[in-house]
Amino acid sequence: KQEVTQIPAALSVPEGENLVLNCSFTDSAIYNLQWFRQDPGKGLTSLLLIQSSQREQTSGRLNASLDKSSGRSTLYIAASQPGDSATYLCAPKGYSGGGADGLTFGKGTHLIIQP
Amino acid sequence: KAGVTQTPRYLIKTRGQQVTLSCSPISGHRSVSWYQQTPGQGLQFLFEYFSETQRNKGNFPGRFSGRQFSNSRSEMNVSTLELGDSALYLCASSLDPVGSDTFGSGTRLTVV
């Protein structure tokens, strides 16, 4: 059974800092891994998708890396802004005999960027 | 293009009742998944439908069921509601089971 751990659970930093959020997963049999953000009481917004054959993906100030063999992914946020404040979730999509499984989520990293 | 639409946004039900939630996926997406989010358990996978067939099911009791229609719209049903079923229910759609998932805004269910 896939288990996902995200570290740190919470982070509060001043605006402008570069950040690294960590995600580890126990089963390397994955199709892909997505990073999401969630604002309070809202749904999930997809940030980046990394296929299992890829090492990293970039979108604007965000960069996500994937090391499938060690079961790790990181999300790098450059030049953080107050609007980046949210909960960040990582979710690998595994597979089993029947094909793709559902997403398995970590508890998330609650990020606060201080103006 | 329109995103994933979930209705209703909010729902209050009494213990013992049943409830049906609806999800309309992005046009062209054939895979729909459902998740339950609670403060204690976080986000948990309920089930996934692709081409009107349930492909995967999470570890939830049989009171939780779903279906998918030929136009890919999906509904989930919870029977004999319990207080612990109070949660945000999220639906996600993707082109196929291995594709990128796009989530809706969710349905907030409160059981009293």
Short mmCIF file of all heavy atoms in Angstrom, two decimals, chain A residues 7 13 18-20 22 27 31 35 46 54 56 68 84 100 114:
data_model
loop_
_atom_site.label_atom_id
_atom_site.label_comp_id
_atom_site.label_asym_id
_atom_site.label_seq_id
_atom_site.Cartn_x
_atom_site.Cartn_y
_atom_site.Cartn_z
N ILE A 7 7.26 16.67 4.13
CA ILE A 7 8.01 17.40 5.14
C ILE A 7 8.47 18.74 4.55
O ILE A 7 8.92 18.77 3.39
CB ILE A 7 9.26 16.59 5.59
CG1 ILE A 7 8.82 15.30 6.30
CG2 ILE A 7 10.16 17.42 6.50
CD1 ILE A 7 9.98 14.39 6.63
N VAL A 13 7.60 31.67 6.12
CA VAL A 13 8.82 32.37 5.72
C VAL A 13 8.48 33.75 5.20
O VAL A 13 7.34 34.00 4.76
CB VAL A 13 9.58 31.58 4.63
CG1 VAL A 13 10.00 30.21 5.13
CG2 VAL A 13 8.75 31.47 3.37
N ASN A 18 13.45 31.52 -1.35
CA ASN A 18 13.31 30.31 -2.16
C ASN A 18 13.02 29.15 -1.22
O ASN A 18 13.61 29.05 -0.14
CB ASN A 18 14.58 30.04 -2.96
CG ASN A 18 14.93 31.19 -3.88
OD1 ASN A 18 14.05 31.83 -4.46
ND2 ASN A 18 16.23 31.45 -4.03
N LEU A 19 12.11 28.28 -1.62
CA LEU A 19 11.65 27.22 -0.73
C LEU A 19 11.78 25.85 -1.38
O LEU A 19 11.68 25.73 -2.60
CB LEU A 19 10.16 27.41 -0.40
CG LEU A 19 9.71 28.77 0.08
CD1 LEU A 19 8.19 28.82 0.09
CD2 LEU A 19 10.27 29.04 1.45
N VAL A 20 11.94 24.84 -0.53
CA VAL A 20 11.92 23.45 -0.99
C VAL A 20 10.94 22.66 -0.14
O VAL A 20 11.07 22.62 1.09
CB VAL A 20 13.32 22.81 -0.90
CG1 VAL A 20 13.24 21.33 -1.29
CG2 VAL A 20 14.30 23.54 -1.81
N ASN A 22 9.33 18.86 0.48
CA ASN A 22 9.73 17.48 0.25
C ASN A 22 8.58 16.50 0.32
O ASN A 22 7.66 16.66 1.13
CB ASN A 22 10.79 17.07 1.28
CG ASN A 22 12.05 17.87 1.16
OD1 ASN A 22 12.78 17.75 0.18
ND2 ASN A 22 12.31 18.74 2.14
N ASP A 27 6.19 3.24 -2.50
CA ASP A 27 6.12 2.31 -3.62
C ASP A 27 6.53 3.03 -4.90
O ASP A 27 5.86 3.97 -5.32
CB ASP A 27 4.69 1.76 -3.75
CG ASP A 27 4.55 0.64 -4.76
OD1 ASP A 27 5.49 0.42 -5.55
OD2 ASP A 27 3.50 -0.03 -4.75
N TYR A 31 2.92 5.68 -12.19
CA TYR A 31 2.82 6.22 -13.55
C TYR A 31 3.36 7.65 -13.59
O TYR A 31 4.04 8.06 -14.51
CB TYR A 31 1.37 6.24 -14.02
CG TYR A 31 0.87 4.93 -14.56
CD1 TYR A 31 -0.14 4.24 -13.92
CD2 TYR A 31 1.39 4.40 -15.74
CE1 TYR A 31 -0.61 3.04 -14.42
CE2 TYR A 31 0.93 3.19 -16.24
CZ TYR A 31 -0.08 2.52 -15.57
OH TYR A 31 -0.55 1.33 -16.05
N TRP A 35 1.88 17.52 -8.22
CA TRP A 35 1.86 18.46 -7.12
C TRP A 35 0.63 19.36 -7.28
O TRP A 35 0.35 19.84 -8.39
CB TRP A 35 3.12 19.33 -7.11
CG TRP A 35 4.31 18.63 -6.54
CD1 TRP A 35 5.25 17.91 -7.21
CD2 TRP A 35 4.72 18.62 -5.17
NE1 TRP A 35 6.21 17.45 -6.36
CE2 TRP A 35 5.92 17.87 -5.09
CE3 TRP A 35 4.22 19.17 -3.99
CZ2 TRP A 35 6.60 17.66 -3.90
CZ3 TRP A 35 4.90 18.96 -2.80
CH2 TRP A 35 6.07 18.21 -2.76
N SER A 46 -3.96 21.82 -9.86
CA SER A 46 -2.76 21.10 -10.28
C SER A 46 -1.65 22.10 -10.63
O SER A 46 -1.88 23.08 -11.35
CB SER A 46 -3.07 20.23 -11.50
OG SER A 46 -1.92 19.53 -11.92
N GLN A 54 10.38 10.93 -16.33
CA GLN A 54 10.99 12.25 -16.28
C GLN A 54 11.71 12.47 -14.97
O GLN A 54 11.40 11.85 -13.95
CB GLN A 54 9.93 13.33 -16.49
CG GLN A 54 9.25 13.27 -17.86
CD GLN A 54 8.14 14.29 -18.00
OE1 GLN A 54 7.34 14.46 -17.08
NE2 GLN A 54 8.08 14.94 -19.14
N GLU A 56 12.37 16.00 -14.01
CA GLU A 56 11.85 17.25 -13.47
C GLU A 56 10.92 17.93 -14.45
O GLU A 56 10.90 17.60 -15.65
CB GLU A 56 12.99 18.19 -13.08
CG GLU A 56 13.86 18.69 -14.21
CD GLU A 56 14.92 19.65 -13.68
OE1 GLU A 56 16.01 19.17 -13.31
OE2 GLU A 56 14.64 20.86 -13.62
N LYS A 68 12.38 8.46 -8.76
CA LYS A 68 11.45 7.35 -8.53
C LYS A 68 12.11 6.22 -7.75
O LYS A 68 11.49 5.63 -6.85
CB LYS A 68 10.95 6.83 -9.88
CG LYS A 68 9.72 5.95 -9.77
CD LYS A 68 9.22 5.55 -11.13
CE LYS A 68 10.12 4.53 -11.77
NZ LYS A 68 9.47 3.82 -12.89
N ASP A 84 1.40 32.76 -2.72
CA ASP A 84 1.80 31.35 -2.71
C ASP A 84 1.30 30.64 -1.44
O ASP A 84 1.41 29.42 -1.33
CB ASP A 84 3.31 31.20 -2.80
CG ASP A 84 3.88 31.69 -4.12
OD1 ASP A 84 3.17 31.64 -5.14
OD2 ASP A 84 5.05 32.15 -4.12
N ALA A 100 -3.96 1.56 -13.60
CA ALA A 100 -3.65 2.69 -12.74
C ALA A 100 -4.51 2.68 -11.49
O ALA A 100 -5.69 2.34 -11.53
CB ALA A 100 -3.85 4.00 -13.50
N GLN A 114 4.98 35.45 4.53
CA GLN A 114 4.71 36.71 5.23
C GLN A 114 5.09 37.89 4.35
O GLN A 114 6.18 37.93 3.79
CB GLN A 114 5.52 36.75 6.52
CG GLN A 114 5.31 35.56 7.44
CD GLN A 114 6.52 35.29 8.32
OE1 GLN A 114 7.44 36.10 8.39
NE2 GLN A 114 6.54 34.16 8.99
#
